[in-house]
Amino acid sequence: MNKRSLSDLPPADLRGRRALVRVDYNVPLDASGAVADANRVEATVPTLRRLLDAGASPVLLSHLGRPKGVPDPRYTLAPVAPVLSRLLGAPVRFVGPADSEEAREASRSLEPGEVLLLENTRFLPGETTNDPALAATLAELGDLFVSDAFGSTHRAHASVVGVASALHPAVAGDLVETELRALAGLVDVPERPFIVAFGGAKIGDKIALMKTFLDRADSVLVGGAMANTFLKAGGSRTGSSLVEDEAVDVAARFLEDSADRIRLPTDVVVGAVDPESKVEPRAVSASDIPDGLAALDIGPETAEAYAWQISKSRTFFWNGPMGLFERDGFGAGTLAVAQAAADATRSGAFTVIGGGDSAAAIRKAGLADAVSHVSTGGGAALEYLAHGTLPGLEALDDS
Ligand code: ADP
Ligand code: MG
C-alpha cells in the first residue's frame, strides 16, 4: 500500500492524543432499535485496541442509514455505544452531533483510554456534499485522523475525504490495511488457476468489475439473476426470470469476447416469482425455462460443475449469491459454492468473498471463518477491485 497506516506510527506518537477515527457502524437495527448484527463494530476492534493500548483516545465518526442532513431519531448511533463498550471492555461515551459545542467539549476533556462516539454524520448538512467548512469542524475534534471505515471509502463525504485533507497525520487503520492486503492478493499476480464466481441481482452495477476479472481470471462462473441476462443474450427463453434488458447487449459482448472463459448454468432451479405460490422448486435445462416460471437458483448439475472448478482453484473470488438464497428451496447453489470455497481454502487456496449479500450468504452457511477473507466493504470492495483506488484512500497521507 502506498498510503501511511496507523501501524507505521510509533506508539509514542499516539500517547495522550485524540485520534479521530472514521468507522463504518452502518449496522442493521432490529424492531426494538437494538443492533441486530455487530460484525461491523467487531471489525474495528483491532484499530481501537491499538489506539487504546498506546494511550490515545479514540473519537469515533460514523454514518447509519440514509438520513437527509438533519437529525432523525430512527438513525441514532446511540444503540451502538453499549455494544462497542462490551467488545472493548472500556467505557464509551456517546454525544452528538459532531458540530455541537457538546461534542467539542467532550473531545477536549477526553482522558487517555476513554472512547467517544459521536452522533450520525449524516445528521450534518454538508456531509454528503463534502463541505470543506464541515471538514474543518470535524478536524478540530482530533489530533490525527484514522480511516477505518473501509465500507465507506468509496464515498467522497466530509467525514471520509474532506477531513483527511484537513487533519494530519491522516492514516489507514488496521481494518482498511487488512482489506487492502486481501484485495491486492486478487489483483497482483494471483496464483493459478484463478477462478471467479459472479451472481447476484445486477450486471449493470458490475460491468467494470466483470471486465477486470474477465481479463485476469482463468474462468468466470456465472450464476444468480445475472446468469439470466447472459442466457437471454445467448438466445435462450428465460420465462418470468429476472432479466436486465438494458444489459443484454453488454452480456452478449462479454460472451463474444470471452467465450472461452465465461461459464453459464446448464441447468437452473425454477419457481414462481410470487413467494405465496405453491409451485414446488424443480430443476430444468437452462435453455428451457418454462413460461410463467423464473430461474431462482443454479441447478444441481451446474452447482456440481462449479464446485469442482472452485475446489481445484489456487485463487478464488466470489461476488453475488447464486440464487434467491433468502427463500427456502433456492439456496442450494449458493451453499455449494460456499462449501467449495471452504474446501479450496483447506487445500491452500487464497479465497475472498466480496459484496454485502454474498457476505451474508457465507455467514448464513456458517463458513465465514473457513475462507481466507470476507470483505466488510460491500460496494467499496467491488469499486476498489474494478478501479484500483478509492476516494477515501486517495485522501490519506502518502507513505
Ligand atoms: P452482493 O451484495 O453480494 O454484491 P447483489 O446485491 O448483486 O450481491 O445481489 C444479491 C441479491 O440477488 C440477493 O438478494 C439474491 O436474492 C438476489 N438473487 C440472486 N439470484 C437471483 C435470481 N435468480 N432471481 C432473483 N434474485 C436473485
Ligand atoms: Mg447487495
Side-chain angles (χ1 to χ4, degrees), residues 206 355-357:
K206 298 182 177 172
D357 294 292

Side-chain angles (χ1 to χ4, degrees), residues 59-233:
V59 178
L60 310 180
L61 295 173
S62 177
H63 76 288
L64 171 68
R66 292 172 180 255
K68 300 270 177 281
V70 286
D72 181 335
R74 287 174 300 170
Y75 300 109
T76 176
L77 274 165
V80 176
V83 174
L84 178 63
S85 175
R86 211 172 317 121
L87 285 167
L88 286 175
V92 176
R93 195 165 160 212
F94 173 76
V95 302
D99 63 353
S100 63
E101 186 46 43
E102 187 194 14
R104 269 189 292 277
E105 173 48 36
S107 105
R108 266 196 302 267
S109 60
L110 266 186
E111 297 287 334
E114 282 181 349
V115 181
L116 179 64
L117 173 64
L118 299 176
E119 183 56 288
N120 198 334
T121 52
R122 291 208 196 165
F123 289 0
L124 305 168
E127 162 69 340
T128 59
T129 54
N130 195 17
D131 177 7
L134 176 59
T137 302
L138 298 177
E140 286 173 31
L141 300 169
D143 305 312
L144 71 148
F145 177 68
V146 180
S147 163
D148 216 30
F150 185 68
S152 304
T153 41
H154 58 320
R155 307 272 183 222
H157 293 173
S159 69
V160 177
V161 170
V163 67
S165 317
L167 177 58
H168 298 280
V171 299
D174 291 53
L175 175 61
V176 167
E177 233 192 319
T178 306
E179 288 276 1
L180 291 179
R181 204 175 309 118
L183 299 178
L186 299 172
V187 183
D188 313 336
V189 223
E191 234 188 288
R192 297 186 180 277
F194 177 21
I195 307 296
V196 173
F198 279 124
K202 280 193 167 178
I203 299 181
D205 301 340
K206 298 182 177 172
I207 291 173
L209 184 72
M210 287 200 85
K211 226 181 146 345
T212 299
F213 287 110
L214 281 169
D215 291 344
R216 288 194 167 92
D218 297 297
S219 195
V220 173
L221 316 173
V222 182
M226 183 189 274
N228 303 329
T229 306
F230 277 96
L231 290 169
K232 182 153 186 186

Side-chain angles (χ1 to χ4, degrees), residues 199-202 206 224-225 228 242 295-297 319-326 354-358 382:
K202 280 193 167 178
K206 298 182 177 172
N228 303 329
L242 184 61
L296 297 176
D297 194 8
N319 168 247
M322 293 289 109
L324 192 62
F325 73 99
E326 300 93 336
D357 294 292
S358 310
L382 305 184

Side-chain angles (χ1 to χ4, degrees), residues 318-338:
W318 177 23
N319 168 247
M322 293 289 109
L324 192 62
F325 73 99
E326 300 93 336
R327 214 209 277 179
D328 281 348
F330 304 103
T334 298
L335 186 61
V337 166

Side-chain angles (χ1 to χ4, degrees), residues 344-362:
T345 315
R346 211 174 326 104
S347 310
F350 177 62
T351 55
V352 177
I353 317 301
D357 294 292
S358 310
I362 194 137

